[in-house]
Amino acid sequence: MTLQPALFANDIDRYLKEHESKGLLRFITCGSVDDGKSTLIGRLLHDSRMIREDQLAAVTRDSRLRGSVGGQVDLALLVDGLQAEREQGITIDVAYRFFSTDKRKFIIADTPGHEQYTRNMATGASTASLAVILIDARYGVQLQTRRHSFICDLLGIRHFMIAVNKMDLVDYSEARFQEIVADYRDFADGLNVTDVRFLPISALNGDNVVNPSSDMRWFDGAPLLTQLEQIEILAVQNLHELRFPVQYVNRPNLHFRGYCGTLAAGAVEVGTEIRVEPSGQRSSVARIVTNDGDLNVAYPGQSVTLTLHDEIDISRGDTLVAANSDIEPCTAFTADVVWMHETPLMLGQEYEIKAGTRIVPGRVVRIVYQVDVNTMARSATDTLGLNGIARCQIEVTQPLVLDSYQRSPETGNFIFIDKLSNLTVGAGMVVDALNVGHIVWHDMAVTKRRRAERNRQKPSIIWFTGLSGAGKSTVADALERQLFGMGYNTYLLDGDNVRHGLCRDLGFSDEDRQENIRRIGEVARLMVDAGMVTLVSFISPFRDDRRMIRNLVEDGEFIEVFVNTPLAVCEQRDPKGLYRKARRGEISQFTGISSPYEAPESPEVEIDTSAYDLEETVGRLIAALRRHRII
Amino acid sequence: MREFTIRALTHLRQLEAESIQIIREVAAEFRNPVMLYSIGKNSSVMLHLARKAFYPGTPPFPLLHVATTWEFREMRAFRDRVAAQVGMELIEHVNEEGRATGINPFDHGSARYTDLMKTQALKQALDKYGFDAAFGGARRDEGASRAKERVYSFRDKHHRWDARQQRPELWSLYNGKLNPGESIRVFPLSNWAELDIWQYIHLESIAIVPLYYAAPRPTVVRDGRLIMVDDARFPLAADEVPQERWVRFRTLGCYPLTSAIESRATTLPAIIQEMLLARTGERFGPVVDHGGVGPVEQKAREGYVR
């Protein structure tokens, strides 16, 4: 008897008082229909008096119609779900079941056991702290037993209860039971789980489910339900490693700024010195606010609102950690990934990655190995299909605060979201966050494309050509400031900053001018390779020179901007007095005076700085860059 | 460093913290959320949790009541009191086209009536205001097909639920990415069982509609069910005389479709006691759930939500 009818009948107030202090245990049941999983769950619900009369009546009626257990009420029917599944006789999703005893409230994640439902099992296991794994006593440890155990272990479940079911069909044989226990122990040596318990049961008859079995007196353990009520769940949280992902900034009025979130790990106290990641700002906790009054200390799992002593800029997606914590946000990590969609995981494809309260673009750059869920054998692959499990190297474009999943599950998990369909296509558990200290693992080539993708821009050369005094440098400088402000990574090369360093050794002979432009072109090309939007301001009077540079980079990466300001205007401006010197013959071969300027035949953009002011000119350039898909 | 001893949260505090996390996540990730407020006990608990989530502020979304005009009078009075007290905007939506047809739960059958005045009305309201997330108070323990419902239940732009579009939900990571026109229903009480709801109402002293408590009320017996005669619109048969009976309600909706149970339970502990001793489920009460095989699944497809 697991609920106390006498108590709630006679002293409901005392009953309620006692039940307010119950704990909650989530567990997953693994096994196929054939193992008697549904029957076991039905039995737990039934024998713990959680079945309502109307449900029981329906099941009794259906049992007669189906006749699947010869006259007995088929308790498995209690847990059948959607109509379609009932017709097919299988379960194809995660169903959550609820029951309570005097000791605990239980939530069962009821998942199907076949290999094609690995993703469902991973989903169910993600929130469970215990797994009930069913084995048919007649068949012993099967391939699927290994699969179920492996997935539960991978998802970090620390407690396994191996329920050897259908003991009635092997004459309640202790020898058979011990044989299965030995087999399982051999295999489980390779898992992380440390608490493995074995029970001989018959879900159909109720042996060792809620009540002890009179047919198996040789078993001295407690029945399944008693064990579920009593087992002490290992707390995985490390209370010293504060992790508070900011979920929502609460600003109801000018006098209150609170950071709402659910404490993922560690404890936080009033006065705790904190650091904000990834910004690195510091402050300390002023209040721990709840609607039921302020707290002095909050623990993992509590949803609270923190206020800080300092006004600093914090937003959703930031994580508060202890001020002296040595955690570093990372942009690369290894993780075990479970793929959950028919469309396979593609190397290098960008997905949204949601970890905690942060969503960032990221990609799998390498699959270290794929694991066969049945044999745990590892193999090489470069794609991961539905229900595949693999260890992967992942890169994200913005830093995440991640812990190893085994150490801190709540800050070591994440999901993949497809950018087009918005579906959740995968889930991952962090193995190792890769910090600056040990980046030795990179073996996927860092290419121009990958750098450009991380910079989220199209690298290019924006080449300003035109007469001296045409306004090239002024316009290029203004454009760079504009682009930089828009979030692009830019660099401006102009004739002067190059001449003073890179080309200091060059003079003004034809040969040296040729070498000068070659060097500028090569530097610009390297900048493009580095993923930059590169602006070059350089008279470059000869078409052949400009064509040579255009040919250094790929189609579409060279944007020629012809700064076509009339010579008369340039000469009038004469900012460096060069035209005057040239007219006086003090400078020979001066472009436009004593040396030709070969105007571009089909520049991507043409501007005249005497016709428009600077702001409008930059506006026209931005529009042109959009047209050419540079930005 | 100071040593801490972890204290496990009780089951109610854990459920509370998880629900608050869900409610805040929706407020953070969605453009225009709304909380469906049906005035029942689940709505009361959900609203209570929302207020906790944003304390000392007010929840940053309005309440939406899809009204049929056939609610118990006490429900409307309670609703207006609560809305005034919490300081949230209350939107009432009635399917005016439905009302214009003169449809009523007596003459047109509960299925057609409910579809028009609840299901269609809800879609109208969501479209009218462009809500992209609607909190509902449904729980997974309410029926076999509910057991598999997600916390974020995805709906296409026609408000349809499609099994293949539902997203796996691992840990407490919910995927709130939507394309324009799509929306979700959110069920922050997914993991609460009926007993948890009652225990929490008791623990937190949450106000609920007085109809949940037993009192002498005018009732008639129709098809073996006790129906309360709440106003003069009730079409009494020639030989029908309402009788004063001690009754209460387990769930609340349109009064002609909600059957009462005889009870003397006038306190919360007494109600909980009756519930624990009772052998029939709470969903037995409302007539609306007896319209054929798999009604809840059918309603999910049609976009209905409590």
Side-chain angles (χ1 to χ4, degrees):
Chain A
M1 206 63 69
T2 53
L3 280 173
Q4 298 162 277
L7 185 53
F8 61 69
N10 299 324
D11 192 350
I12 184 68
D13 292 319
R14 201 182 120 209
Y15 172 87
L16 286 172
K17 197 82 214 150
E18 286 181 8
H19 280 248
E20 279 165 9
S21 55
K22 279 197 294 199
L24 172 60
L25 175 65
R26 286 181 156 96
F27 66 95
I28 180 172
T29 49
C30 312
S32 68
V33 181
D34 303 333
D35 297 326
K37 177 170 61 77
S38 296
T39 307
L40 174 67
I41 296 171
R43 172 64 64 185
L44 281 171
L45 301 184
H46 177 267
D47 287 9
S48 62
R49 301 167 158 263
M50 294 307 285
I51 308 299
R52 304 183 304 241
E53 195 175 86
D54 56 329
Q55 289 176 303
L56 202 55
V59 167
T60 310
R61 191 185 58 232
D62 286 1
S63 300
R64 273 201 298 276
L65 286 174
R66 290 232 210 135
S68 64
V69 275
Q72 283 179 288
V73 172
D74 184 356
L75 294 173
L77 294 176
L78 284 169
V79 294
D80 276 356
L82 299 172
Q83 279 175 54
E85 295 169 32
R86 284 184 78 150
E87 282 150 22
Q88 292 166 26
I90 51 159
T91 325
I92 52 171
D93 209 332
V94 188
Y96 294 91
R97 323 271 177 209
F98 305 85
F99 70 101
S100 279
T101 70
D102 291 332
K103 305 287 194 305
R104 272 183 174 150
K105 171 191 167 84
F106 296 95
I107 301 179
I108 310 177
D110 177 10
T111 63
H114 291 112
E115 186 170 355
Q116 64 265 38
Y117 306 124
T118 292
R119 61 173 164 174
N120 305 89
M121 180 165 288
T123 302
S126 73
T127 51
S129 34
L130 180 147
V132 175
I133 297 171
L134 280 148
I135 295 178
D136 188 320
R138 292 170 298 172
Y139 309 125
V141 175
Q142 298 284 300
L143 208 59
Q144 68 160 2
T145 312
R146 287 195 268 268
R147 179 171 71 241
H148 300 159
S149 303
F150 172 69
I151 296 166
C152 290
D153 196 54
L154 186 76
L155 270 290
I157 296 178
R158 309 286 174 108
H159 305 273
F160 284 7
M161 287 199 184
I162 311 301
V164 181
N165 191 25
K166 307 196 183 181
M167 287 300 291
D168 51 317
L169 298 182
V170 294
D171 298 326
Y172 300 105
S173 158
E174 181 180 10
R176 177 62 184 147
F177 175 71
Q178 293 302 346
E179 190 184 354
I180 293 171
V181 170
D183 275 0
Y184 189 89
R185 281 202 188 283
D186 276 353
F187 141 81
D189 279 348
L191 302 175
N192 294 311
V193 64
T194 48
D195 179 24
V196 185
R197 302 162 186 224
F198 298 87
L199 294 98
I201 66 167
S202 165
L204 192 62
N205 300 323
D207 296 275
N208 284 334
V209 177
V210 174
N211 301 306
S213 167
S214 53
D215 291 309
M216 290 181 282
R217 296 194 190 281
W218 48 265
F219 178 70
D220 56 6
L224 178 63
L225 185 58
T226 310
Q227 297 209 32
L228 290 173
E229 285 180 316
Q230 292 174 350
I231 191 166
E232 267 206 50
I233 296 302
L234 293 170
V236 288
Q237 293 97 349
N238 178 342
L239 290 178
H240 297 307
E241 294 284 339
L242 170 63
R243 301 284 186 268
F244 184 80
V246 175
Q247 191 183 15
Y248 183 88
V249 180
N250 193 6
R251 294 214 67 189
N253 56 58
L254 290 175
H255 311 295
F256 188 88
R257 181 200 286 263
Y259 305 103
C260 305
T262 304
L263 203 52
V268 64
E269 275 185 293
V270 171
T272 298
E273 303 279 325
I274 60 98
R275 192 173 82 225
V276 184
E277 290 296 354
S279 75
Q281 301 172 92
R282 284 158 192 264
S283 185
S284 59
V285 174
R287 293 174 60 197
I288 304 172
V289 180
T290 79
N291 194 20
D292 302 306
D294 282 13
L295 305 177
N296 292 320
V297 55
Y299 297 97
Q302 283 187 287
S303 292
V304 295
T305 300
L306 304 181
T307 67
L308 302 180
H309 279 119
D310 306 277
E311 281 221 1
I312 49 179
D313 185 26
I314 299 176
S315 45
R316 173 178 163 84
D318 289 343
T319 303
L320 309 188
V321 303
N324 59 2
S325 169
D326 55 9
I327 186 148
E328 285 175 44
C330 67
T331 55
F333 52 96
T334 53
D336 289 324
V337 169
V338 181
W339 202 247
M340 306 192 134
H341 200 263
E342 287 82 3
T343 311
L345 162 72
M346 298 302 285
L347 273 191
Q349 183 175 326
E350 194 169 273
Y351 299 96
E352 302 275 9
I353 289 181
K354 183 172 187 181
T357 58
R358 202 169 173 88
I359 300 181
V360 301
R363 56 168 52 83
V364 173
V365 295
R366 179 180 165 226
I367 297 176
V368 185
Y369 55 79
Q370 182 171 8
V371 188
D372 182 317
V373 289
N374 294 315
T375 61
M376 288 185 262
R378 298 171 178 183
S379 60
T381 179
D382 51 12
T383 175
L384 193 63
L386 176 64
N387 295 314
I389 293 177
R391 176 144 313 170
C392 299
Q393 288 172 357
I394 296 166
E395 284 183 7
V396 288
T397 59
Q398 293 157 48
L400 293 171
V401 174
L402 294 174
D403 291 287
S404 109
Y405 181 78
Q406 288 290 337
R407 210 175 96 182
S408 181
E410 290 301 319
T411 50
N413 61 39
F414 61 93
I415 54 173
F416 290 92
I417 300 170
D418 184 81
K419 296 187 87 169
L420 216 61
S421 68
N422 289 329
L423 290 171
T424 302
V425 289
M429 292 139 284
V430 174
V431 175
D432 205 0
L434 297 161
N435 292 320
V436 195
H438 51 300
I439 305 181
V440 286
W441 51 275
H442 252 293
D443 66 359
M444 180 171 169
V446 181
T447 60
K448 177 167 88 177
R449 181 168 159 230
R450 288 184 63 220
R451 282 186 291 259
E453 278 169 349
R454 177 182 291 179
N455 286 342
R456 308 183 74 70
Q457 66 186 23
K458 181 178 171 186
S460 53
I461 298 174
I462 303 171
W463 188 278
F464 292 81
T465 174
L467 296 169
S468 175
K472 298 182 299 297
S473 294
T474 309
V475 172
D477 179 64
L479 178 65
E480 187 191 18
R481 273 184 276 132
Q482 182 65 27
L483 289 173
F484 193 82
M486 291 162 74
Y488 293 94
N489 295 324
T490 56
Y491 191 75
L492 171 60
L493 290 166
D494 67 31
D496 291 338
N497 69 12
V498 173
R499 274 237 171 242
H500 294 146
L502 181 66
C503 300
R504 195 167 50 192
D505 57 325
L506 300 177
F508 290 92
S509 67
D510 279 354
E511 211 169 80
D512 281 2
R513 284 170 82 128
Q514 188 72 27
E515 175 61 11
N516 190 25
I517 198 163
R518 189 192 69 82
R519 289 187 193 177
I520 290 174
E522 286 294 340
V523 171
R525 189 184 66 83
L526 290 173
M527 292 273 177
V528 168
D529 199 46
M532 307 294 280
V533 173
T534 314
L535 299 87
V536 184
S537 157
F538 198 60
I539 296 173
S540 48
F542 302 114
R543 280 185 204 121
D544 280 352
D545 292 343
R546 297 192 300 262
R547 191 178 305 119
M548 173 190 78
I549 292 157
R550 186 184 285 271
N551 290 338
L552 284 175
V553 293
E554 288 171 38
D555 279 356
E557 288 181 345
F558 186 85
I559 302 293
E560 190 170 21
V561 180
F562 179 25
V563 185
N564 189 13
T565 306
L567 176 63
V569 178
C570 299
E571 190 164 357
Q572 196 189 340
R573 287 176 182 165
D574 201 10
K576 297 172 198 160
L578 296 174
Y579 281 96
R580 266 173 288 145
K581 287 183 182 171
R583 288 291 183 197
R584 289 199 297 265
E586 291 167 26
I587 304 175
S588 61
Q589 294 195 5
F590 189 78
T591 302
I593 305 295
S594 44
S595 174
Y597 176 81
E598 297 174 8
E601 282 167 342
S602 52
E604 274 76 9
V605 194
E606 184 169 341
I607 53 174
D608 176 353
T609 61
S610 65
Y612 302 104
D613 68 15
L614 189 58
E615 194 181 329
E616 184 158 7
T617 303
V618 170
R620 284 164 168 266
L621 283 167
I622 293 285
L625 293 179
R626 288 221 167 88
R627 213 162 46 239
H628 289 283
R629 299 182 187 280
I630 299 298
I631 58 175
Chain B
M1 185 177 270
R2 197 183 131 176
E3 285 301 313
F4 293 101
T5 325
I6 190 157
R7 281 177 314 185
L9 296 176
T10 65
H11 75 294
L12 291 177
R13 291 299 169 213
Q14 192 170 337
L15 291 171
E16 176 188 70
E18 290 172 8
S19 297
I20 288 174
Q21 189 253 340
I22 293 162
I23 293 169
R24 285 173 173 167
E25 193 69 3
V26 171
E29 286 201 317
F30 288 83
R31 186 178 42 79
N32 190 16
V34 66
M35 181 165 278
L36 303 180
Y37 182 67
S38 70
I39 325 179
K41 64 180 193 297
N42 289 347
S43 284
S44 292
V45 168
M46 185 165 64
L47 176 57
H48 185 79
L49 292 165
R51 295 178 71 189
K52 283 196 167 196
F54 301 101
Y55 175 86
T58 306
F61 39 76
L63 297 171
L64 170 64
H65 176 220
V66 176
T68 62
T69 74
W70 287 92
E71 292 84 10
F72 289 94
R73 284 175 300 165
E74 276 190 75
M75 289 172 70
R76 294 188 149 270
F78 180 86
R79 180 198 75 180
D80 294 340
R81 265 200 319 276
V82 166
Q85 190 199 337
V86 299
M88 291 164 73
E89 185 194 355
L90 172 72
I91 299 169
E92 175 177 323
H93 180 83
V94 179
N95 181 351
E96 292 299 341
E97 294 158 33
R99 176 146 75 176
T101 66
I103 192 166
N104 71 66
F106 294 104
D107 303 328
H108 303 95
S110 71
R112 268 180 63 200
Y113 167 79
T114 305
D115 175 62
L116 202 63
M117 297 308 285
K118 293 294 261 187
T119 312
Q120 301 306 325
L122 173 63
K123 291 184 198 171
Q124 282 174 359
L126 295 177
D127 286 342
K128 179 176 173 187
Y129 297 97
F131 295 122
D132 54 354
F135 293 100
R139 309 189 315 264
R140 284 174 175 151
D141 77 330
E142 287 177 296
S145 58
R146 277 261 184 245
K148 298 179 179 186
E149 182 60 287
R150 304 296 196 272
V151 172
Y152 278 22
S153 179
F154 178 84
R155 308 298 158 106
D156 68 14
K157 59 179 189 259
H158 305 292
H159 300 286
R160 278 184 311 227
W161 179 91
D162 174 356
R164 282 166 309 171
Q165 291 297 311
Q166 304 308 316
R167 298 152 181 192
E169 290 179 339
L170 294 97
W171 305 290
S172 52
L173 291 175
Y174 302 102
N175 174 357
K177 294 270 176 185
L178 296 179
N179 285 318
E182 297 167 347
S183 64
I184 59 158
R185 306 284 191 275
V186 192
F187 303 114
L189 304 181
S190 285
N191 290 324
W192 295 60
E194 189 191 9
L195 182 57
D196 304 323
I197 293 284
W198 283 116
Q199 284 185 335
Y200 189 68
I201 289 172
H202 180 61
L203 182 70
E204 296 276 305
S205 306
I206 299 170
I208 50 171
V209 183
L211 293 160
Y212 285 113
Y213 299 101
R217 296 186 171 101
T219 51
V220 296
V221 179
R222 290 252 173 116
D223 302 327
R225 292 166 190 278
L226 275 172
I227 305 292
M228 178 174 166
V229 181
D230 195 51
D231 60 36
R233 290 179 293 176
F234 196 105
L236 291 168
D239 57 344
E240 238 175 2
V241 181
Q243 277 186 33
E244 199 95 316
R245 290 186 180 87
W246 272 88
V247 294
R248 64 178 182 90
F249 295 87
R250 286 182 181 156
T251 58
L252 297 176
C254 299
Y255 81 79
L257 296 176
T258 310
S259 54
I261 54 164
E262 295 208 63
S263 168
R264 290 268 174 178
T266 56
T267 64
L268 265 178
I271 291 173
I272 298 171
Q273 189 171 33
E274 272 196 5
M275 193 209 83
L276 288 169
L277 294 169
R279 294 279 126 183
T280 49
E282 65 172 312
R283 308 292 298 167
F284 195 77
V287 184
V288 64
D289 255 4
H290 287 257
V293 184
V296 180
E297 185 192 5
Q298 187 64 33
K299 280 194 216 91
R301 283 215 183 108
E302 289 161 6
Y304 174 84
V305 63
R306 279 162 46 105

